[in-house]
Amino acid sequence: MIRAFIAVTLAESVIEEIAKIRSALQETRADVRWTRLEGLHLTLKFLGDLDRNRIEPVLEVLRETAHGGRPLQVTAQGMGAFPNSRRPRTVWVGLHGQGLAALNAELENALMSLDFPPDAREFTPHLTLGRVRSLRGWERMLPVMKAHEQTVFGESTIHYMTLYRSDLRPEGAVYTRLGAAAFQPGP
């Protein structure tokens, strides 16, 4: 069994802009476990433990789902904390773009044929910047976050979806690409 998820990634230029703000957040020395910049992604579906013989059927669902769709335009904008800034557990950057919710819904429906239940939580497109371990230093970090509640970090064109393997290690999660499915370019 492997821990797996389906995700899309953003353009390097957007990640570089986010990295600048993340550095400012890190300088507050708040007690946050930061996500590696090279691992930033939008999770479309977390699959959990996946038997290796189910990798190819999942990739086939990705190919079928991507085949009918065109590349998506996504804007990275705003930042905040889940569930809220008084009880923060996750620090995020928001993602906005037509077609993201529809893609998530289509993928959820298609994966039900492989017995993956739909996610009970509402789909909220975001990049996870870090996980809050305690409130130590939070009072220093909150003003930096609030200053960027509406900041636009940039736009990306999403050309493909990827199935990743996730290995949890003491130094952070390591993601390995298992396969991808490309959207069809427009006429």
Side-chain angles (χ1 to χ4, degrees), residues 6 8 21 24 31 44 55 115 126 142 161 165 172:
I6 298 165
V8 296
I21 305 306
D31 191 16
L44 293 171
I55 292 173
D115 295 327
H126 69 278
L142 191 55
M161 296 183 283
R165 172 186 177 151

Side-chain angles (χ1 to χ4, degrees), residues 72-156:
L72 302 172
Q73 295 297 316
V74 175
T75 301
Q77 179 179 10
M79 119 178 331
F82 290 136
N84 58 56
S85 61
R86 285 176 284 136
R87 296 182 313 130
R89 288 196 318 245
T90 303
V91 177
W92 52 263
V93 166
L95 296 178
H96 310 273
Q98 276 193 325
L100 279 176
L103 174 62
N104 172 260
E106 188 175 348
L107 197 53
E108 290 274 8
N109 285 335
L111 287 166
M112 286 173 55
S113 68
L114 297 178
D115 295 327
F116 289 101
D119 196 337
R121 294 174 296 176
E122 182 180 344
F123 179 63
T124 306
H126 69 278
L127 302 174
T128 297
L129 288 186
R131 303 202 185 280
V132 179
R133 292 188 283 211
S134 77
L135 292 178
R136 186 171 42 88
W138 185 250
E139 74 283 355
R140 293 186 302 270
M141 194 166 105
L142 191 55
V144 179
M145 287 179 51
K146 287 200 175 287
H148 295 286
E149 282 180 332
Q150 299 301 320
T151 298
V152 175
F153 299 101
E155 296 183 2
S156 277

Side-chain angles (χ1 to χ4, degrees), residues 157-174:
T157 302
I158 306 297
H159 294 282
Y160 55 89
M161 296 183 283
T162 303
L163 174 63
Y164 287 98
R165 172 186 177 151
S166 172
D167 293 301
L168 301 177
R169 298 187 179 161
E171 66 273 14
V174 174

Side-chain angles (χ1 to χ4, degrees), residues 37-48:
L37 290 173
E38 64 272 15
L40 286 179
H41 62 269
L42 164 61
T43 300
L44 293 171
K45 176 72 175 171
F46 180 72
L47 301 173

Side-chain angles (χ1 to χ4, degrees), residues 11-101:
E12 280 187 38
S13 61
V14 175
I15 301 301
E16 289 169 4
E17 288 303 309
I18 292 170
K20 293 175 187 172
I21 305 306
R22 191 182 87 151
S23 292
L25 294 170
Q26 288 174 313
E27 288 174 11
T28 68
R29 302 177 58 116
D31 191 16
V32 175
R33 181 180 189 142
W34 298 101
T35 302
R36 296 176 185 196
L37 290 173
E38 64 272 15
L40 286 179
H41 62 269
L42 164 61
T43 300
L44 293 171
K45 176 72 175 171
F46 180 72
L47 301 173
D49 290 331
L50 179 68
D51 193 299
R52 291 177 189 274
N53 64 12
R54 296 180 77 194
I55 292 173
E56 188 50 42
V58 168
L59 288 173
E60 184 57 33
V61 165
L62 286 185
R63 288 188 282 269
E64 289 172 8
T65 303
H67 183 70
R70 300 205 183 284
L72 302 172
Q73 295 297 316
V74 175
T75 301
Q77 179 179 10
M79 119 178 331
F82 290 136
N84 58 56
S85 61
R86 285 176 284 136
R87 296 182 313 130
R89 288 196 318 245
T90 303
V91 177
W92 52 263
V93 166
L95 296 178
H96 310 273
Q98 276 193 325
L100 279 176

